[in-house]
Amino acid sequence: MAILETILIVLIVYYILKILAKRFGPVLLRYAAKKTEKRFRDAFEKQARAQGRTTQSTEGEVTVDNTVRSNERFRSKKKVGEYIDFEEVE
């Protein structure tokens, strides 16, 4: 009899959680999305201020970032060898 009571309690709790999730799930997800969006926006604005830029640029303003040095960093300095094309021999 204790097994039936346990199964009944588990089922009741399951259905109650299911109903609550349908009611409050979208509200909680919307809240979490707004908080995440605010954090990303704040981080972006902080980074823009740190670089001396504003989030709104004037019309006709041109900025050039030199990225040549950053690409050199990823290139391999040592020579690996030459390319050899092998042919299959039967």
Side-chain angles (χ1 to χ4, degrees):
M1 197 66 171
I3 295 174
L4 292 176
E5 289 177 4
T6 306
I7 292 173
L8 184 63
I9 291 172
V10 169
L11 288 175
I12 290 172
V13 169
Y14 171 75
Y15 281 113
I16 289 174
L17 289 176
K18 189 174 175 182
I19 291 169
L20 290 175
K22 282 185 181 180
R23 298 273 185 198
F24 297 112
V27 175
L28 291 174
L29 286 176
R30 213 173 301 126
Y31 175 75
K34 284 182 184 179
K35 291 292 272 186
T36 305
E37 179 184 357
K38 185 179 183 310
R39 286 183 187 165
F40 276 111
R41 187 181 306 119
D42 291 344
F44 176 76
E45 290 172 357
K46 182 180 177 182
Q47 182 181 12
R49 276 185 260 126
Q51 292 178 354
R53 300 180 188 165
T54 59
T55 55
Q56 297 177 350
S57 60
T58 59
E59 185 176 344
E61 181 181 339
V62 177
T63 58
V64 177
D65 294 332
N66 190 359
T67 59
V68 174
R69 290 185 179 248
S70 65
N71 287 339
E72 289 176 1
R73 184 175 32 164
F74 296 111
R75 291 185 187 159
S76 177
K77 300 286 185 201
K78 60 183 178 179
K79 286 197 166 192
V80 177
E82 61 184 58
Y83 177 75
I84 301 173
D85 188 19
F86 291 100
E87 292 183 15
E88 187 175 323
V89 179
E90 292 183 20

